[in-house]
Amino acid sequence: MEWWIILIIVLGSLLLLGIIFAVWWISTYNKLVRMENDVDEGYSTMDVYMKKRYDLIPNLVETVKGYAKHEKSALEDVMKARYSCMTANDPAEKAKNENWLAGTLKSLFAVAENYPELKANQNYMEMMNSLQNIETEIANSRKYYNGAVKAYNNKRETFPSNIVAKHYKFEEKVLFAIEDLSQRNAPKVEF
């Protein structure tokens, strides 16, 4: 073989390797963008359901307030927690505040348990059913969001896609998790 044929083969091989690398780089970048968008979509969906809950809470508090006037601190705590959730700026802060809201709602429900006439109120029962449906939707959207975050973070942190992620500064996303360990325990049921 002549030297120019060897040179063409070497240059052709290098060009082919360069094309393969460029295609891999572009596809990895595009995959990270799609996964980041899935995380954003999951958070946005979860946020919509949480907004529905935030809109329902003042009505629920007002209904309970009508029956339990001396339970002012529990009602105020619920409203403070609601406000902190609505003004949270990032998923980590929102998750922390959501855990606080869940705790204050439990105390509100405990207050309501002490008032049988409240539990018999049709308006209260409808709001509780709505809240239960919204909580189910929030739980489902949290599952989707956390799954999207896990897939994105795995792609972002594993080799060789972590090279592309570092180059374009794809940042780690935070899971929406329960921080209060007491919320992880199953409720105790007694008859």
Side-chain angles (χ1 to χ4, degrees):
M1 277 197 344
E2 296 205 27
W3 67 270
W4 59 272
I5 294 176
I6 294 173
L7 181 62
I8 290 174
I9 291 172
V10 169
L11 290 176
S13 298
L14 289 176
L15 180 64
L16 183 62
L17 285 174
I19 291 170
I20 290 171
F21 178 76
V23 167
W24 169 81
W25 187 273
I26 291 167
S27 69
T28 301
Y29 172 80
N30 288 340
K31 178 71 172 172
L32 284 165
V33 167
R34 282 191 301 275
M35 293 175 94
E36 188 173 47
N37 289 339
D38 286 345
V39 169
D40 292 343
E41 174 198 10
Y43 185 78
S44 177
T45 301
M46 184 173 48
D47 204 35
V48 166
Y49 289 119
M50 288 187 289
K51 169 93 171 76
K52 282 183 177 181
R53 184 194 327 138
Y54 304 152
D55 292 345
L56 180 63
I57 288 172
N59 296 331
L60 190 59
V61 167
E62 284 301 315
T63 302
V64 172
K65 190 187 293 184
Y67 288 88
K69 292 183 183 353
H70 64 281
E71 305 285 356
K72 188 176 179 182
S73 67
L75 300 172
E76 287 175 353
D77 287 347
V78 171
M79 294 307 289
K80 286 177 190 172
R82 173 187 175 263
Y83 178 76
S84 69
C85 288
M86 292 174 65
T87 58
N89 293 323
D90 61 49
E93 181 183 359
K94 188 139 194 140
K96 179 182 164 211
N97 293 340
E98 279 289 322
N99 290 327
W100 180 30
L101 179 61
T104 62
L105 283 174
K106 282 182 183 177
S107 67
L108 180 68
F109 302 146
V111 165
E113 288 294 317
N114 295 327
Y115 298 91
E117 64 277 3
L118 172 62
K119 292 191 312 185
N121 180 305
Q122 183 64 31
N123 202 13
Y124 176 77
M125 294 306 295
E126 286 174 10
M127 284 188 278
M128 291 303 292
N129 287 335
S130 293
L131 187 61
Q132 185 177 15
N133 291 336
I134 291 169
E135 290 296 335
T136 300
E137 293 299 330
I138 290 171
N140 289 337
S141 61
R142 280 182 183 172
K143 280 192 252 180
Y144 176 81
Y145 171 79
N146 282 340
V149 167
K150 177 185 169 197
Y152 167 80
N153 283 341
N154 284 343
K155 182 75 171 174
R156 188 188 144 276
E157 295 169 4
T158 56
F159 182 80
S161 57
N162 65 340
I163 297 167
V164 176
K166 283 180 185 172
H167 180 76
Y168 290 106
K169 297 178 175 63
F170 283 94
E171 295 185 12
E172 180 179 13
K173 302 293 183 182
V174 179
L175 291 170
F176 208 95
I178 294 174
E179 292 177 1
D180 182 2
L181 296 179
S182 67
Q183 291 181 13
R184 292 181 183 196
N185 298 331
K188 186 177 181 181
V189 178
E190 294 179 10
F191 294 102

